[in-house]
C-alpha cells in the first residue's frame, strides 16, 4: 500500500550523530513514508515542522554520503544505529541509495552497522554489510497481516521481514528483532507473543527486544484515531494503559510476565529482553 508523499531534496550539515543507544546514529532521511500509526519519530516534527502529516513527507539528505565522508575523517569507529528517526530502507531508498552508500562508508572505516528496518529493501545491501560484524534487525509487532496493514500501512509484509532475517543469517550476519510496540489487546496475548517468538527462535535470531506501547509525544492522537475507527471499545482501555499510572503499571507487569513465559516456552529465554 502507498499514499501520497511530498519529497524534498535537502542538504544536511551532519549525518552521523552521537546517540544514547549506540555510539552513533545515522539518518539519511527526515520523515518516513512507512507511516506507522504508533511511530515515535513523530516528535521530529517539533524540530523540523512540515505542513504534511507524519508519513506524508520525506526530506532526502541528498549530500549525506559526502557529509559522512568528511565526518569519518575525525570520528572514532563505533556502533552506528541505522536509523533512529526514520527507516533507512523506506521506499525512496530504492532510488536514492543513500543509506546503502553510507553503510558502505561506515563499514570501510571500521564502524559496525546496527540496522533496524521494516523493509525487505535491506536485502539489496547484505553484500555491503556481510563480513563487517554488522547486525540486521527487523521490527515485528504482529504476525497478523491485516493488523500490520492497519498499523504499518506502507512497510513490508511480515513474511518479507522474516525472509530478511533468514537471508541475513545465511549471509553470516548477526540478526535481531524488535518486537514492539506490542499492540494492547491485539497482538499482546500469550499466544500472539509466543507465535512471534517461536518464528524468531526457528530462524535462530540472535537477540530479541520486546517493547510496550509508550505514550510518546504526538503518538496518542494517531493511535486514538485508528483505535476509535476500528475498535471503538478499545479506545478507553488504550487511554488507560498509556496515561493512567496505576493501570499502566499493572499492564506492564502482566505483559512482562507474558513475555517471560512465552520466551521460556519458545526455548529462548536467554535471547529475549523486555525493555519496559
Ligand atoms: S518504520 Fe519506523 S520510523 Fe518509519 S514510520 Fe514506522 S516506526 Fe516510524
Amino acid at each position: 500500500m502507498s499514499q501520497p508523499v511530498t519529497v524534498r531534496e535537502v542538504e544536511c550539515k551532519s549525518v552521523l550523530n552521537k546517540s544514547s543507544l549506540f555510539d552513533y546514529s545515522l539518518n539519511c532521511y527526515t520523515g518516513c513514508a512507512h507511516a506507522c500509526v504508533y511511530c515515535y519519530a513523530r516528535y521530529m516534527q517539533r524540530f523540523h515542522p512540515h505542513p504534511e502529516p507524519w508519513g506524508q513527507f520525506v526530506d532526502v539528505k541528498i549530500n549525506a554520503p559526502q557529509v559522512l565522508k568528511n565526518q569519518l575523517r575525525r570520528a572514532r569507529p563505533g556502533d552506528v544505529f541505522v536509523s533512529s528517526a526514520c527507516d533507512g530502507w523506506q521506499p525512496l531508498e530504492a532510488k536514492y541509495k543513500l543509506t546503502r552508500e553510507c553503510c558502505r562508508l561506515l563499514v570501510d572505516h571500521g564502524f559496525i552497522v546496527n540496522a533496524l528496518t521494516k523493509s525487505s529493501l535491506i536485502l539489496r545491501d547484505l553484500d555491503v554489510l556481510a563480513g563487517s560484524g554488522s547486525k540486521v534487525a527487523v521490527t515485528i509487532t504482529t504476525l497478523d497481516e491485516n493488523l500490520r496493514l492497519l498499523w504499518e500501512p506502507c512497510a513490508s509484509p511480515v513474511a518479507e521481514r522474516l525472509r530478511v532475517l533468514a537471508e541475513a543469517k545465511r549471509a553470516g550476519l548477526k540478526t535481531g528483532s524488535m518486537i514492539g510496540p506490542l499492540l494492547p489487546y491485539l497482538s499482546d496475548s500469550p499466544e500472539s507473543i509466543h507465535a512471534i517468538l517461536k518464528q524468531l527462535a526457528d530462524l535462530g535470531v540472535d537477540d530479541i527486544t520486546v517493547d510496550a506501547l509508550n505514550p510518546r509525544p504526538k503518538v496518542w492522537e494517531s493511535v486514538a484515531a485508528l483505535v476509535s475507527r476500528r475498535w471503538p471499545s478499545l479506545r478507553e482501555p488504550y487511554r488507560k494503559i498509556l496515561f493512567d499510572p496505576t493501570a499502566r503499571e499493572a499492564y506492564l507487569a502482566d505483559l512482562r510476565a507474558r513475555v517471560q513465559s512465552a520466551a521460556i516456552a519458545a526455548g529462548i529465554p536467554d535471547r529475549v529482553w523486555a525493555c519496559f
Side-chain angles (χ1 to χ4, degrees), residues 35-264:
C36 304
V37 172
Y38 53 74
C39 179
Y40 302 155
R42 287 162 197 281
Y43 74 89
M44 290 294 293
Q45 279 185 288
R46 209 189 300 164
F47 310 109
H48 303 279
H50 287 73
E52 303 84 12
W54 181 258
Q56 291 180 35
F57 69 87
V58 180
D59 291 354
V60 179
K61 300 178 190 175
I62 198 78
N63 60 338
Q66 287 72 32
V67 169
L68 179 61
K69 228 180 264 179
N70 287 336
Q71 287 188 272
L72 289 176
R73 288 201 192 109
R74 291 176 299 278
R76 274 230 326 246
D79 276 63
V80 187
F81 186 23
V82 184
S83 295
S84 59
C86 71
D87 194 315
W89 287 270
Q90 60 178 294
L92 280 168
E93 168 66 12
K95 170 183 171 190
Y96 285 99
K97 301 189 178 81
L98 296 173
T99 303
R100 176 181 172 83
E101 182 57 12
C102 286
C103 284
R104 194 185 62 72
L105 287 166
L106 288 170
V107 165
D108 285 353
H109 286 76
F111 288 70
I112 304 289
V113 172
N114 288 273
L116 177 63
T117 185
K118 292 187 181 103
S119 171
S120 57
L121 180 57
I122 196 171
L123 289 169
R124 180 199 64 186
D125 298 338
L126 296 188
D127 61 336
V128 167
L129 300 173
S132 66
S134 294
K135 180 161 101 177
V136 169
V138 301
T139 304
I140 294 179
T141 54
T142 174
L143 295 180
D144 180 335
E145 199 47 27
N146 293 319
L147 280 180
R148 194 283 298 167
L149 260 171
L150 287 168
W151 289 89
E152 302 157 348
C154 304
S156 289
V158 183
E160 284 190 30
R161 298 184 213 173
L162 294 172
R163 188 162 67 88
V164 165
L165 293 173
E167 297 283 328
K169 193 96 192 159
R170 247 194 298 281
L173 285 152
K174 287 185 226 158
T175 54
S177 184
M178 159 60 82
I179 304 181
L182 281 168
L183 306 166
Y185 307 106
L186 299 172
S187 72
D188 66 345
S189 69
E191 297 75 24
S192 299
I193 300 169
H194 177 258
I196 299 173
L197 289 180
K198 178 77 175 56
Q199 290 262 5
L200 298 176
D202 289 350
L203 287 167
V205 173
D206 296 304
D207 65 73
I208 299 159
T209 303
V210 186
D211 200 6
L213 184 64
N214 290 302
R216 299 273 172 79
K218 291 183 171 286
V219 168
W220 172 242
E221 293 83 344
S222 161
V223 166
L226 174 62
V227 171
S228 304
R229 201 170 67 242
R230 299 295 304 215
W231 309 275
S233 63
L234 289 183
R235 190 184 190 281
E236 184 55 14
Y238 263 66
R239 192 195 60 73
K240 275 191 163 171
I241 281 173
L242 287 174
F243 301 111
D244 175 331
T246 311
R248 181 161 183 79
E249 207 176 302
Y251 172 76
L252 293 183
D254 195 47
L255 187 60
R256 232 172 267 128
R258 269 178 271 160
V259 170
Q260 206 175 14
S261 304
I264 292 168

